Amino acid sequence: MTTELNNRAGLSPSQARELFRAGTVVPTSGFSHGFAQANLLSLPKEDAFDFLLFAQRNPKPCPLLGVLEPGQVSSELLNGGDIRTDIPAYRLFRDGELVEEATDATAWWREDMVSFLIGCSFTFEAALLDNGVPVAHIAQERNVPMYRTTIQTNPAGRFAGPLVVSMRPIPAGQVADAVRITSRYPAVHGAPVHVGDPAAIGIEDLGAPDFGESVAIAEGEIPVFWACGVTPQAVVMDSRPTLAISHSPGHMLVTDARDLAYQVP
Amino acid sequence: MTTELNNRAGLSPSQARELFRAGTVVPTSGFSHGFAQANLLSLPKEDAFDFLLFAQRNPKPCPLLGVLEPGQVSSELLNGGDIRTDIPAYRLFRDGELVEEATDATAWWREDMVSFLIGCSFTFEAALLDNGVPVAHIAQERNVPMYRTTIQTNPAGRFAGPLVVSMRPIPAGQVADAVRITSRYPAVHGAPVHVGDPAAIGIEDLGAPDFGESVAIAEGEIPVFWACGVTPQAVVMDSRPTLAISHSPGHMLVTDARDLAYQVP
C-alpha cells in the first residue's frame, strides 16, 4: 500500500477506488492525475427533485457531473465501482445533524437513494499550475481553506442555505489569469465569485476557515474566492432533510472522467 | 401592431411578450435583439424529476435556463409575465399525441405543472453573424431546418428518444470558426454534434427536414449540425407522458436574460 500511495498520481481511477474500497483513508488530492474528482450527496427520492432543482439553480457551487437514479450504485463515472464503498470516508446526516462517519456507507443505504456527483475544483487547480499560477495550499501541503459566507444560494423547494467558498491567494498580477483560466471550467465551479475583501462576503478571519486548513498569504497576493462543493453539506445542515449521505470533505470520489472533458475553449 | 412588428428587434422583452399575450402569432426570430429566447416544456410534477434528470444528462439538446416549481407561472426570466400566455403559440400533448394548438395555455394548466425553459440557438446565431460567419436560413428568410437523427439521447427514468438537430451550411474555410464561436455558448446548445455526412446520423435528404424549412446549400459549404431544443418534443412523442405543454416550434419565449450572460470566455 505504501508503494501505491507513493505513486498516487499514476494510479488509474479504478486502482484508486479499489484502494479506498479496501479501507485506505486518505484525502484524495493528488490521486490519478488527469482525472476528475467529485463530491457526493445521496438523498431519498422524496427529496431528489428539490435537490436536482437546487443544483440547476446553483450551478457554481453545485455543478452536476452525474446523477444516479433511485437505488443505482454505479455509473459510467465509476465504471464497475460502487458509490457506497469506493470513497475513502463518508458522512451520515439525520435531520441535518452529522451523526456518524465511516469508510463504508452500505449500512446506511436505502433502495430509494438518489446520488448526486458534483464537480470539484481539483480539475482547475491542475490548469492553474500548468499556466504558471501558484496554488498556495498545494505548495504548503495543506487542505484548501473553505468558509461559510453571507451570500445566500438560490432556494429550491425545501433546500436553502449559505454559499461555501474556497480561497486561493493569487499574486495581484495573475488574478486576471486565474479568472480567465478557471472560467473555462464551468463544470468544476468556474470563475471566482469574489475577489479581495473577505469582510464583504461575511468572512471575518481568513486565518480561521470553517472547513479545511488555513494557508499563509504572501505580500502582494489577493484572496480569490470560488464557489465550493461543500455548499451542499451546509445546505443539508440548514434544510434538515430526514436522511443524507455525503463524502467527508477532502475525501472525494475519483472518477473515470478526464479533466479535459470539462474544459470549454 | 404593424409598427411594432417593423421594429421587432428594438422591442424590449416585456414589450414583445405583451404583444404575444394580446394575441399576435408570429415566429419570434429577430425579436428583442440581445436577449435570449427559450423553448418551453411543462409537465406534471409526477414526471418532473425524470425530465429534470433527462435534461441534466442531455445538456446539449436540453440546456436549462430555468425551471419553475409546481404551479409557478412566472420567474425572473419573464419578469411579471405569465408562462401560459406570453408565448405566441402553444402545443398540447396527451399520451405523446399532439392534440391541440392554441395561443393561450391557461385552459390546459394544472396546479402541479413544472415548467422547463430550455436554451435556443438564436443566441449563438447573433455571435456567428457578428464574427462574419453567414447563417443561411436568416439570409434566405426561412425557418431553420431540423431533423430527427439516429443518435439516441441518454435516457432518464421514463424519458428516452432521438436527438433532433438543426443544420446550418457553413463555408468549409469557416467551419473551424463556427465550432470555436458556438463552443463558447454551452447554455444554448454549444458546439456542433456532427460536421458533414448527413447519412452517418440517419438523415437521408437534407431537402426534406422533419421540422422547419429546407435551405439552399451553396458550392463549398459543409452541413454542420447542432443539438436542437425541439428534442424534448420528439422525446415526449416517444415517451408518452399523460400530459405535456410546449411552445410551437419557432414561437419561443422571449426572456429578460441577455445573450451575453450565456457566453463563456
Side-chain angles (χ1 to χ4, degrees):
Chain A
M1 198 185 83
T2 309
T3 309
E4 286 159 325
L5 290 180
N6 286 341
N7 181 35
R8 60 186 70 191
L11 296 179
S12 72
S14 63
Q15 286 172 326
R17 291 193 301 265
E18 188 178 336
L19 202 63
F20 304 138
R21 193 160 55 238
T24 302
V25 182
V26 289
T28 52
S29 177
F31 275 84
S32 303
H33 184 79
F35 291 90
Q37 300 196 10
N39 300 272
L40 171 71
L41 185 68
S42 298
L43 291 167
K45 164 82 172 156
E46 64 182 5
D47 293 322
F49 175 73
D50 283 358
F51 188 78
L52 188 50
L53 192 55
F54 180 85
Q56 192 277 326
R57 290 186 179 164
N58 296 280
K60 295 204 83 161
C62 301
L64 290 176
L65 305 187
V67 182
L68 282 62
E69 294 187 56
Q72 207 185 334
V73 297
S74 195
S75 84
E76 76 288 353
L77 286 172
L78 62 158
N79 182 28
D82 187 319
I83 194 71
R84 303 168 297 182
T85 56
D86 289 10
I87 290 176
Y90 296 86
R91 289 183 156 186
L92 174 66
F93 296 86
R94 292 198 188 277
D95 300 316
E97 302 288 335
L98 172 60
V99 292
E100 203 176 335
E101 291 202 88
T103 62
D104 185 321
T106 309
W108 309 333
W109 193 252
R110 284 183 4 193
E111 281 308 304
D112 65 340
M113 299 299 277
V114 175
S115 296
F116 299 88
L117 300 177
I118 296 163
C120 123
S121 55
F122 178 78
T123 296
F124 72 54
E125 289 182 348
L128 288 171
L129 292 171
D130 288 347
N131 283 277
V133 179
V135 178
H137 66 97
I138 293 178
Q140 297 172 31
E141 298 188 349
R142 297 187 195 169
N143 198 350
V144 66
M146 294 164 273
Y147 308 85
R148 282 172 173 262
T149 69
T150 47
I151 302 170
Q152 288 300 302
T153 57
N154 298 312
R158 71 174 296 159
F159 292 105
L163 180 72
V164 175
V165 295
S166 61
M167 189 280 289
R168 292 163 187 79
I170 305 287
Q174 291 182 290
V175 169
D177 289 335
V179 171
R180 178 180 57 79
I181 293 159
T182 59
S183 295
R184 299 174 71 195
Y185 291 90
V188 289
H189 305 309
V193 292
H194 190 75
V195 177
D197 193 5
I201 55 173
I203 300 171
E204 290 175 14
D205 181 0
L206 285 179
D210 296 301
F211 310 90
E213 296 175 282
S214 69
V215 294
I217 304 182
E219 187 71 25
E221 290 182 340
I222 308 288
V224 180
F225 301 90
W226 280 266
C228 176
V230 169
T231 301
Q233 293 186 39
V235 165
V236 160
M237 291 178 204
D238 272 29
S239 307
R240 310 178 69 80
T242 53
L243 175 63
I245 298 170
S246 77
H247 69 291
S248 291
H251 300 70
M252 319 298 284
L253 176 70
V254 179
T255 81
D256 285 295
R258 289 186 182 274
D259 285 350
L260 288 175
Y262 299 112
Q263 182 188 299
V264 292
Chain B
M1 198 186 81
T2 309
T3 309
E4 285 159 326
L5 290 180
N6 286 341
N7 181 35
R8 60 185 69 190
L11 295 179
S12 73
S14 63
Q15 287 172 328
R17 292 193 302 266
E18 190 178 335
L19 202 63
F20 304 139
R21 192 159 56 238
T24 302
V25 181
V26 289
T28 52
S29 178
F31 275 85
S32 303
H33 183 79
F35 290 89
Q37 299 196 11
N39 301 271
L40 170 70
L41 186 69
S42 298
L43 291 166
K45 164 81 172 157
E46 63 183 6
D47 293 322
F49 175 74
D50 283 357
F51 188 79
L52 188 51
L53 193 54
F54 180 86
Q56 192 277 325
R57 290 185 178 164
N58 295 280
K60 296 204 83 163
C62 301
L64 290 176
L65 304 186
V67 182
L68 281 62
E69 293 186 57
Q72 209 186 331
V73 297
S74 195
S75 84
E76 76 288 352
L77 286 172
L78 62 159
N79 183 26
D82 187 320
I83 194 73
R84 302 167 299 181
T85 57
D86 289 10
I87 290 177
Y90 296 86
R91 289 181 155 187
L92 173 66
F93 296 86
R94 292 199 189 277
D95 300 317
E97 303 288 335
L98 172 60
V99 293
E100 204 177 336
E101 291 202 88
T103 62
D104 185 321
T106 309
W108 308 333
W109 193 252
R110 284 183 3 195
E111 280 309 305
D112 66 339
M113 299 299 277
V114 175
S115 296
F116 300 89
L117 300 176
I118 296 163
C120 122
S121 55
F122 179 77
T123 296
F124 72 55
E125 289 182 346
L128 288 171
L129 291 172
D130 288 348
N131 283 277
V133 179
V135 178
H137 66 97
I138 292 178
Q140 297 171 31
E141 297 189 350
R142 297 187 196 169
N143 198 351
V144 66
M146 295 165 272
Y147 308 85
R148 282 173 173 262
T149 69
T150 47
I151 302 170
Q152 288 300 303
T153 57
N154 299 312
R158 70 174 298 158
F159 292 105
L163 180 71
V164 175
V165 295
S166 61
M167 188 281 289
R168 292 163 189 79
I170 305 287
Q174 292 182 289
V175 169
D177 290 335
V179 171
R180 178 180 57 80
I181 293 160
T182 59
S183 296
R184 299 173 70 196
Y185 291 90
V188 290
H189 305 307
V193 292
H194 190 73
V195 176
D197 194 5
I201 55 174
I203 300 172
E204 290 175 14
D205 181 1
L206 284 179
D210 295 300
F211 311 89
E213 296 175 283
S214 69
V215 294
I217 303 181
E219 186 69 26
E221 290 182 340
I222 307 290
V224 180
F225 302 90
W226 279 266
C228 177
V230 169
T231 301
Q233 293 186 39
V235 165
V236 161
M237 291 178 204
D238 272 29
S239 307
R240 309 178 68 81
T242 54
L243 174 63
I245 298 170
S246 76
H247 69 291
S248 291
H251 300 70
M252 319 297 286
L253 176 71
V254 179
T255 81
D256 284 297
R258 289 185 182 276
D259 285 350
L260 288 175
Y262 299 111
Q263 182 187 299
V264 292

